[in-house]
Amino acid sequence: MTTLVPFVDLKTQYRSLRSEILPRVTQVMEDATFILGPDVARFEENFASYLGSRHCVGVESGTAALQFALEAFGIGPGDEVIIPATTYIASAVAVSTVGARPVLVDVDSTYFMDPNLLDAALTPATKAILPVHLYGQAMPMEPILEFARRHDLVVIEDAAQAHGARHNGRCAGTFGHAGCYSFYPAKNLGAYGDGGAIVTDDAAIADRLRLMRDFGQRKKYEHLVKGTNCRLDSIQAAVLDVKLTHLDDWNAARRRHAAAYDARLSDLGIATPVRRSDESHVYHLYVIEIEHRDRVASALRDRGIQTGIHYPIPIHLQAAYAELGLTRGAFPQTERSAERVLSLPMFPELTEEQIDLVTGALASAQALVVA
Ligand SMILES: Cc1ncc(COP(=O)(O)O)c(C=O)c1O
């Protein structure tokens, strides 16, 4: 079956950007400024200013951003970090990579860590809390910040899916001590390869992060700390700097598509994603919950419509996290949604016709699975 509606469509986006992107990328090659060239500094400055943060440090991925942020705040072996049970594995892996232990808490109906469950997760070893702005919705941060203040915890936000999402006018990723972003190609702001960044208002932390990503050197061959090689590369920074100027328009387009889905799905009696406010969601993913999810997804595939599942197996049930000693039943909300979530095609260039194809196919699939 040929694909009628892809899950994301990066090729169409590239065609519309080619004339802006190629000169910037070519310039990096002409100037041979591949490593920490002016494009990196320029993008860091522009991204920080877009978000309303003082500093931005580009690194090689979103996972590296999380890991570095934790490390920069001194989180390591013996420490515990509270994370939501529903998130991409990277949020947990970053904690494990620095030698700390991820402590999972269940989520609420908006897939955010449930603030009511934080007290139970707290131990004397808790050093940080890592809320995730999942699917592109900015999490209301007040209860998290309050809890962190009360218990003297570092707040590292995982905003890997939420570029430009705002809560009360403020961007996701700028509420805590540091915010981490991924520029994986399919993200709302995506590179043409891997990339990531940390933003913070703390100049000393930003300085430490810059040392950590480049062998601990401020001056070539003078290594002040044992840093590593984890830099955002200049070609990716050049691409991102062009794309950043389109981010608000793309996010607005995603919101329009979400509203169109909302209207059509309500007619079908399918529950639509819970939205906190008009500007809180940038719909990195448009996620519904549905009975017989796998059969519905397969019926859509038969009609040429790609979908995704974010995420089919919760972290505590992954072989990689057997060490947590948790079994089915530990996080009911997370486990229930893992069986029901279905991500519909969502990208700025999506057309009305494609949305009609998706919702038409959903209507038929529903009739099929119920019959
Ligand atoms: C919530 C979340 N955190 C972290 C990451 C890690 O980002 P990256 O793939 O750039 O390492 C991702 C990316 O998929 C993500 O969705």
Side-chain angles (χ1 to χ4, degrees), residues 88-162:
Y88 184 50
I89 192 84
S91 317
V93 161
V95 175
S96 305
T97 307
V98 302
R101 178 182 167 85
V103 175
L104 277 51
V105 295
D106 210 354
V107 295
D108 60 18
S109 61
T110 39
Y111 310 102
F112 297 140
M113 57 166 56
D114 187 339
N116 299 314
L117 303 175
L118 295 178
D119 277 323
L122 192 75
T123 76
T126 312
K127 290 286 159 16
I129 182 162
L130 198 151
V132 182
H133 302 279
L134 202 68
Y135 302 152
Q137 180 156 215
M139 178 176 182
M141 287 292 291
E142 294 79 4
I144 305 293
L145 296 173
E146 218 288 297
F147 177 80
R149 257 192 305 271
R150 220 171 338 120
H151 300 288
D152 197 21
L153 306 179
V154 175
V155 180
I156 311 268
E157 296 172 67
D158 183 339
Q161 300 186 355

Side-chain angles (χ1 to χ4, degrees), residues 60-64 66 87-91 132-134 158-161 181-184 187 194-196 284 311:
E60 72 179 17
S61 69
T63 310
L66 289 166
T87 180
Y88 184 50
I89 192 84
S91 317
V132 182
H133 302 279
L134 202 68
D158 183 339
Q161 300 186 355
Y181 293 85
S182 162
F183 304 126
Y184 180 81
K187 295 290 196 260
D194 276 313
H284 171 55
Y311 299 94

Side-chain angles (χ1 to χ4, degrees), residues 279-300:
E279 57 167 12
S280 72
H281 215 318
V282 292
Y283 293 98
H284 171 55
L285 296 169
Y286 185 91
V287 179
I288 58 169
E289 291 201 22
I290 198 157
E291 297 286 335
H292 312 292
R293 188 263 322 275
D294 292 340
R295 284 169 63 199
V296 170
S298 147
L300 291 183

Side-chain angles (χ1 to χ4, degrees), residues 89-334:
I89 192 84
S91 317
V93 161
V95 175
S96 305
T97 307
V98 302
R101 178 182 167 85
V103 175
L104 277 51
V105 295
D106 210 354
V107 295
D108 60 18
S109 61
T110 39
Y111 310 102
F112 297 140
M113 57 166 56
D114 187 339
N116 299 314
L117 303 175
L118 295 178
D119 277 323
L122 192 75
T123 76
T126 312
K127 290 286 159 16
I129 182 162
L130 198 151
V132 182
H133 302 279
L134 202 68
Y135 302 152
Q137 180 156 215
M139 178 176 182
M141 287 292 291
E142 294 79 4
I144 305 293
L145 296 173
E146 218 288 297
F147 177 80
R149 257 192 305 271
R150 220 171 338 120
H151 300 288
D152 197 21
L153 306 179
V154 175
V155 180
I156 311 268
E157 296 172 67
D158 183 339
Q161 300 186 355
H163 317 73
R166 288 178 176 83
H167 172 67
N168 289 341
R170 201 162 149 187
C171 279
T174 64
F175 290 84
H177 295 90
C180 300
Y181 293 85
S182 162
F183 304 126
Y184 180 81
K187 295 290 196 260
N188 291 32
L189 180 61
Y192 289 161
D194 276 313
I198 306 121
V199 297
T200 180
D201 283 343
D202 185 328
I205 290 291
D207 190 49
R208 196 172 310 162
L209 289 166
R210 286 184 205 288
L211 287 176
M212 287 166 64
R213 74 168 172 188
D214 189 28
F215 295 113
Q217 58 190 353
R218 205 165 288 151
K219 209 168 146 203
K220 207 162 169 114
Y221 304 132
E222 279 184 28
H223 307 281
L224 305 173
V225 294
K226 291 188 200 73
T228 183
N229 177 357
C230 194
R231 306 166 292 226
L232 175 66
D233 92 41
S234 298
I235 287 181
Q236 300 307 341
V239 169
L240 289 165
D241 202 43
V242 171
K243 286 186 152 202
L244 180 59
T245 62
H246 296 274
L247 180 60
D248 282 340
D249 287 344
W250 288 335
N251 284 344
R254 286 172 183 272
R255 282 195 190 105
R256 281 196 302 278
H257 304 328
Y261 271 134
D262 283 354
R264 289 163 177 75
L265 294 182
S266 302
D267 291 344
L268 297 178
I270 297 175
T272 55
V274 181
R275 180 163 51 183
R276 292 294 177 125
S277 74
D278 277 351
E279 57 167 12
S280 72
H281 215 318
V282 292
Y283 293 98
H284 171 55
L285 296 169
Y286 185 91
V287 179
I288 58 169
E289 291 201 22
I290 198 157
E291 297 286 335
H292 312 292
R293 188 263 322 275
D294 292 340
R295 284 169 63 199
V296 170
S298 147
L300 291 183
R301 198 177 317 120
D302 291 344
R303 287 174 158 244
I305 292 158
Q306 294 179 343
T307 55
I309 299 173
H310 301 86
Y311 299 94
I313 307 173
I315 292 169
H316 67 287
L317 301 178
Q318 296 279 358
Y321 275 104
E323 71 202 33
L324 295 177
L326 295 163
T327 51
R328 194 167 286 283
F331 304 113
Q333 183 73 26
T334 289

